[in-house]
C-alpha cells in the first residue's frame, strides 16, 4: 500500500485499503515462518486511513479491526478475538527527521558518544514515539500496518476470566468437568504445607 505525497491535497486524503489475509498471517507468523506469535488471523481487514499534510510532515490517522484465533493460556481451547486497532502517527521526511542542518558539530559528536556508550534507552527520544520517518516522496503503509498489528496483540488469550484450566495430573479440561485428582505435592519438603488449614 503505497501513497505518493502528491496524492495528499490540502483537504487531505481518505483511504479504505484492504489488508490481505496473507499479510496478516505473515505478520503473526507460524511454525513454518520461524517466528510464532501464537495468534492466527481468521479474515482479511480494511484499513481506514486519513492523511493530512502538517508542518512539513504528514499526519496519519488509521483504524482497522484485527480478527484472530489463539489458544487459551489456561485450557488451550481456541479463543476468537476481534481487536479494534486505532493509531495516529506523525510521518516525518528523512530530511527533517535528521535535523543535522540545525545542529552544530558539538551536538553531533555528543549524540554519537551517547549512542556508542549506550546511554540512550532506545533508538528514539521519548517525545518521538509517535513519529515515523519516510523518504519524503512515498509513504509505505504496509510496515505501519505490520507494526500496529503486533502492538495490538494481547500478552495472552483467555477463553473467559474464570477459566479453570487443565488438571496438572490427568490433563482434563476443568471447565468441562472435575476430574477427581488430588493435588500432588512434588517436593517432599513442601508436604507439611498440605496440613495447614486456613479459616
Amino acid at each position: 500500500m503505497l501513497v505518493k505525497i502528491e496524492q495528499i491535497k490540502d483537504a487531505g486524503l481518505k483511504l479504505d485499503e484492504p489488508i490481505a489475509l496473507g499479510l496478516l498471517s505473515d505478520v503473526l507468523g507460524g511454525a513454518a515462518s520461524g517466528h510464532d506469535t501464537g495468534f492466527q488471523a481468521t479474515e482479511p481487514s480494511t484499513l481506514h486511513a486519513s492523511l493530512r499534510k502538517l508542518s512539513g510532515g504528514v499526519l496519519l490517522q488509521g483504524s482497522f479491526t484485527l480478527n484472530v484465533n489463539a489458544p487459551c493460556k489456561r485450557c488451550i481451547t481456541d479463543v476468537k478475538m476481534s481487536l479494534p486497532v486505532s493509531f495516529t502517527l506523525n510521518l516525518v521526511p528523512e530530511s527533517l527527521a535528521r535535523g543535522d542542518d540545525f545542529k552544530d558539530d558539538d551536538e553531533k559528536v555528543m549524540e554519537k558518544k551517547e549512542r556508542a556508550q549506550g546511554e540512550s534507552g532506545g533508538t528514539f527520544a521519548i517525545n518521538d514515539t509517535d513519529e515515523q520517518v519516510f523518504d519524503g516522496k512515498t509513504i509505505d503503509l504496509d510496515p505501519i500496518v505490520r507494526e500496529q498489528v503486533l502492538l495490538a496483540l494481547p500478552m495472552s488469550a483467555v477463553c473467559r476470566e474464570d477459566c479453570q484450566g487443565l488438571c496438572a495430573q490427568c490433563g482434563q479440561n476443568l471447565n468441562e468437568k472435575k476430574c477427581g485428582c488430588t493435588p500432588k505435592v512434588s517436593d517432599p519438603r513442601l508436604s507439611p504445607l498440605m496440613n495447614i488449614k486456613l479459616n
Side-chain angles (χ1 to χ4, degrees), residues 11-175:
L13 176 66
K14 293 202 181 292
L15 295 172
D16 291 319
E17 289 287 324
I19 304 173
L21 184 59
L23 173 72
L24 296 173
S25 297
D26 184 46
V27 173
L28 297 173
S33 68
H35 71 281
D36 188 6
T37 60
F39 294 86
Q40 295 175 335
T42 56
E43 59 186 72
S45 188
T46 302
L47 171 65
H48 307 286
S50 167
L51 296 102
R52 283 191 344 231
K53 289 183 182 176
L54 190 65
S55 60
V58 175
L59 181 68
L60 167 64
Q61 294 175 308
S63 65
F64 60 93
T65 301
L66 179 62
N67 293 299
V68 293
N69 274 353
C72 173
K73 75 173 185 176
R74 297 179 190 160
C75 68
I76 66 170
T77 58
D78 270 349
V79 180
K80 292 182 181 182
M81 289 182 279
S82 183
L83 306 170
V85 180
S86 61
F87 58 94
T88 301
L89 288 174
N90 186 15
L91 305 173
V92 182
E94 287 176 342
S95 58
L96 292 177
R98 283 180 290 184
D100 289 345
D101 300 337
F102 303 107
K103 294 179 183 173
D104 61 17
D105 290 338
D106 290 338
E107 286 178 308
K108 291 178 190 176
V109 169
M110 191 66 151
E111 281 183 6
K112 284 182 184 176
K113 280 184 182 178
E114 283 181 5
R115 284 191 202 114
Q117 294 173 353
E119 290 179 21
S120 167
T123 58
F124 53 85
I126 195 70
N127 296 334
D128 299 337
T129 55
D130 63 344
E131 287 187 359
Q132 188 130 355
V133 178
F134 75 107
D135 66 6
K137 296 176 184 173
T138 57
I139 300 167
D140 188 359
L141 296 176
D142 281 353
I144 295 170
V145 168
R146 288 171 179 269
E147 179 180 62
Q148 295 303 320
V149 165
L150 293 173
L151 290 173
L153 296 176
M155 291 296 290
S156 57
V158 180
C159 62
R160 60 183 203 231
E161 286 301 316
D162 63 341
C163 176
Q164 299 294 310
L166 301 175
C167 173
Q169 293 172 335
C170 69
Q172 170 65 41
N173 186 340
L174 299 175
N175 296 317

